[in-house]
C-alpha cells in the first residue's frame, strides 16, 4: 500500500517524456487518492494522440443467438439449448427456456439492410456458441450481408467463436483457414470480446470452459498476420483484482509490440467493459463504482502506450460516465448501437440501447470534445 503522501511526480515525468510504465507504477496510479492527477495524466496522453477529437460510429449490433454451449458465470445472456426427445433427463436444468432465440440468415441480412438505411457504416456481429449451426452458416451469413450491403463494414465473431468454428467445421479447420474463409466471404475485422481477464485463477473460477489466454491470442495473432484489424477487451469489476487487470493490459501491450513489428495489422482499440452483475451468476457482487470505472479507463490509457484508442462502450459504462471519461483518457465512445442484447436484461440503462447521433455529439461537445464520426478503422466518415 502507498500512503496518501505518495506523489505521482516520478510517474508524471515519465508520462510527459513518453516513457513506458511498469506494473508497480500501474498499481500506484490505481491506488492514488490524487485522482485529479491521474485523470490529467491520462488526458495528457489522449490529447497528445488525438487532441480533443472524440470518435463515435454509427453501427448496429446483431447478436444472432443467445443459445450457448458455455455457462460463463458473468454472463446473463446465454440460454441452454433445448434438450429434446425422450432422452431428456427429468428435471434437467437444461429445460427449454422460452426466451432462447437464433436468427436466420435472412433475418440477419434484413437487419443489416435496415441499418444501412439508418446510416450505419458497420455491423458488429457476435453470438453464443450455438450447438447445432454448422460453420457454413457463418460463412454464408458474411457472404449474404456482403452481397446485400456492399459498403457495410462487417466486424464479426470474437476469438471464442472463431475457435468454435475451427472445431465444428467439417473437416475441422485451423484458425487461419477459418479466418481466410470468412474474409473471402466478406468479414472485415474482429471485435475484441471474449478476452475477459487473462489469468488462470479468474478463468477457472468464472469462465472455465471458455477459450483462455492462449486461444484468444492465437486468433488475434493469426488475424493480425493476415492484415485483419481487431479490438481488445477487458471485463473488469467481478472477482479479479487490480493487479490481474494490469497483467491483462501488459499482455495486450506485449502482443501489440509484436504486431507492430511483425504483422500487417494490430489492435485498434481497447474496450474496458464494466461488469454488470444483474441476472448473472455473480449477481451478489456489487460491480465497479463510477470512480473505479474512471480509474480503469485512465490506467488503461497510461499503460497501453502502443494502442491508439481507448473506447468507453457506453452501454456498459453508461452514457453519463462515458461522457466524463472523455477527460480521463477515452477518445472513443463506440456507436449509436442500435440494438444490444448481451447486457440488455441486466443493463444499467436497460431501455436505453440506442443513442441517437445528435445525443452522442452533444454529449461529446459538452465535455469539450470535438465529435468525429469514424468508420470501423478510424477513418473519417463524411456524409
Ligand atoms: O466478451 C458479458 C462482456 C463482451 C457481461 O470490439 C459483459 O469494439 C459486462 O466484446 N457485464 C461482449 N460485460 C462485448 C464486446 C464489445 C462491446 C463493444 C465493442 C466491442 C468492440 C466489443 O461483453 C463479452 C464479455 O466480456 N460481457 N457479460 C456483463 N454481465
Amino acid at each position: 500500500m502507498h500512503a496518501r503522501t505518495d506523489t505521482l511526480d516520478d510517474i508524471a515525468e515519465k508520462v510527459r517524456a513518453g516513457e513506458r510504465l511498469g506494473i508497480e507504477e500501474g498499481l500506484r496510479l490505481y491506488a492514488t487518492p490524487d485522482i485529479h492527477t491521474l485523470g490529467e495524466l491520462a488526458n495528457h496522453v489522449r490529447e497528445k494522440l488525438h487532441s480533443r477529437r472524440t470518435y463515435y460510429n454509427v453501427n448496429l449490433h446483431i447478436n444472432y443467438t443467445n443459445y450457448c454451449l458455455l455457462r460463463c458465470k458473468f454472463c446473463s445472456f446465454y440460454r441452454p439449448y433445448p434438450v429434446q426427445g425422450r432422452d431428456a433427463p427429468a428435471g434437467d436444468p437444461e429445460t427449454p427456456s422460452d426466451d432462447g432465440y437464433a436468427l436466420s440468415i435472412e433475418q440477419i441480412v434484413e437487419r443489416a439492410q435496415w441499418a444501412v438505411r439508418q446510416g450505419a457504416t458497420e455491423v458488429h456481429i457476435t453470438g453464443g456458441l450455438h450447438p447445432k449451426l454448422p460453420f457454413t452458416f457463418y460463412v454464408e451469413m458474411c457472404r449474404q450481408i456482403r452481397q446485400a450491403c456492399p459498403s457495410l463494414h462487417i466486424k464479426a465473431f470474437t476469438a471464442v467463436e472463431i475457435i468454435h468454428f475451427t472445431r465444428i467445421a467439417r473437416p475441422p479447420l485451423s484458425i487461419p483457414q477459418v479466418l481466410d474463409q470468412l474474409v473471402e466471404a466478406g468479414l472485415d475485422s474482429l471485435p475484441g470480446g471474449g478476452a475477459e481477464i487473462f489469468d488462470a485463477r479468474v478463468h477457472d473460477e468464472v469462465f472455465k470452459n471458455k477459450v483462455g489466454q492462449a486461444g484468444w491470442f492465437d486468433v488475434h495473432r493469426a488475424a493480425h498476420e493476415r492484415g485483419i484489424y481487431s479490438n481488445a477487451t477487458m471485463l473488469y469489476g467481478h472477482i479479479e483484482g487490480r493487479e490481474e487487470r494490469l497483467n491483462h493490459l501488459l499482455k495486450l501491450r506485449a502482443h501489440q509490440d509484436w504486431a507492430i513489428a511483425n504483422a500487417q495489422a494490430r489492435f485498434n482499440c481497447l474496450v474496458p467493459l464494466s461488469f454488470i452483475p444483474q441476472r448473472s451468476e455473480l449477481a451478489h457482487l456489487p460491480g465497479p463504482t463510477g470512480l473505479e470505472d474512471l480509474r480503469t479507463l485512465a490506467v488503461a490509457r497510461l499503460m497501453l502506450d502502443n494502442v491508439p484508442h481507448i473506447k468507453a462502450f457506453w452501454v456498459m459504462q453508461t452514457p453519463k460516465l462515458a461522457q466524463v471519461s472523455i477527460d480521463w483518457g477515452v477518445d472513443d465512445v463506440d456507436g449509436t448501437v442500435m440494438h444490444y442484447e448481451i447486457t440488455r436484461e441486466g443493463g444499467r440503462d436497460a431501455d436505453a440501447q440506442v443513442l441517437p447521433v445528435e445525443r452522442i455529439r452533444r454529449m461529446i461537445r459538452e465535455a469539450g470534445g470535438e465529435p468525429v464520426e469514424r468508420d470501423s478503422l478510424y477513418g473519417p466518415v463524411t456524409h
Side-chain angles (χ1 to χ4, degrees), residues 181-197:
Q181 288 199 26
L182 292 171
V183 166
E184 193 271 326
L187 178 79
D188 291 299
S189 68
L190 297 183
E196 322 313 2
I197 288 283

Side-chain angles (χ1 to χ4, degrees), residues 135 138-147 154 157 176-189 226 228:
F135 177 52
Y138 304 95
V139 176
E140 203 44 37
M141 181 197 302
C142 290
R143 196 181 309 289
Q144 292 197 26
I145 296 173
R146 175 56 63 241
Q147 256 164 22
I154 305 177
F157 311 129
Q177 286 169 326
V178 163
L179 290 174
D180 289 343
Q181 288 199 26
L182 292 171
V183 166
E184 193 271 326
L187 178 79
D188 291 299
S189 68
R226 31 196 38 74
I228 307 169

Side-chain angles (χ1 to χ4, degrees), residues 71-340:
R71 305 284 178 266
C72 301
K73 287 189 184 168
F74 58 76
C75 182
S76 56
F77 175 62
Y78 77 80
R79 294 291 177 273
Y81 191 72
V83 179
Q84 281 155 352
R86 62 189 173 82
D87 294 338
D92 188 336
E94 310 261 305
T95 19
S97 46
D98 47 20
D99 56 354
Y101 72 88
L103 302 179
S104 66
I105 291 181
E106 197 184 356
Q107 287 171 314
I108 294 167
V109 171
E110 270 170 20
R111 287 192 186 191
Q113 286 173 311
W114 174 83
V116 171
R117 288 197 297 275
Q118 311 304 310
T121 58
E122 172 190 284
V123 269
H124 177 149
I125 304 175
T126 59
L129 306 186
H130 194 287
K132 302 281 179 199
L133 293 172
F135 177 52
T136 48
F137 174 87
Y138 304 95
V139 176
E140 203 44 37
M141 181 197 302
C142 290
R143 196 181 309 289
Q144 292 197 26
I145 296 173
R146 175 56 63 241
Q147 256 164 22
C149 313
S151 60
L152 190 63
H153 182 105
I154 305 177
K155 179 172 82 172
F157 311 129
T158 63
V160 183
E161 288 157 284
I162 298 290
I163 292 197
H164 175 64
F165 300 163
T166 64
R167 296 174 181 154
I168 59 170
R170 290 293 168 265
L173 297 172
S174 66
I175 293 169
Q177 286 169 326
V178 163
L179 290 174
D180 289 343
Q181 288 199 26
L182 292 171
V183 166
E184 193 271 326
L187 178 79
D188 291 299
S189 68
L190 297 183
E196 322 313 2
I197 288 283
F198 302 130
D199 178 84
R201 175 191 76 87
V202 179
H203 175 265
D204 290 355
E205 208 169 320
V206 186
F207 49 103
K208 196 172 173 49
N209 296 317
K210 196 172 198 170
V211 164
Q213 173 185 331
W216 194 90
F217 279 110
D218 284 347
V219 171
H220 287 263
R221 193 178 314 109
H224 294 164
E225 275 170 349
R226 31 196 38 74
I228 307 169
Y229 278 82
S230 70
N231 295 335
T233 55
M234 173 171 77
L235 176 64
Y236 67 92
H238 41 98
I239 67 148
E240 89 299 348
R242 289 170 169 176
E243 191 166 348
E244 287 154 334
R245 289 180 211 161
L246 283 161
N247 280 323
H248 181 94
L249 295 175
L250 294 185
K251 287 169 188 172
L252 292 172
R253 188 170 81 181
H255 174 94
Q256 185 81 333
D257 277 345
W258 168 85
I260 289 169
N262 300 291
Q264 297 175 53
R266 56 198 69 112
F267 297 130
N268 270 325
C269 71
L270 173 79
V271 198
L273 297 167
S274 181
F275 174 54
I276 297 173
Q278 287 97 319
R279 290 178 203 251
S280 75
E281 263 188 72
L282 301 178
H284 55 285
L285 296 178
T289 62
L291 196 54
E292 193 65 12
D293 287 326
L294 285 176
R295 281 185 193 274
T296 302
L297 293 162
V299 167
R301 177 61 289 167
L302 289 164
M303 299 306 290
L304 287 185
D305 57 355
N306 55 4
V307 173
H309 302 281
I310 303 291
K311 182 193 284 190
F313 183 47
W314 61 262
V315 173
M316 288 171 200
Q317 298 290 357
T318 74
K320 289 184 182 184
L321 193 120
Q323 181 187 38
V324 174
S325 73
I326 291 169
D327 265 344
W328 285 67
V330 163
D331 64 281
D332 184 1
V333 292
D334 200 76
T336 47
V337 187
M338 294 160 187
H339 282 279
Y340 196 69

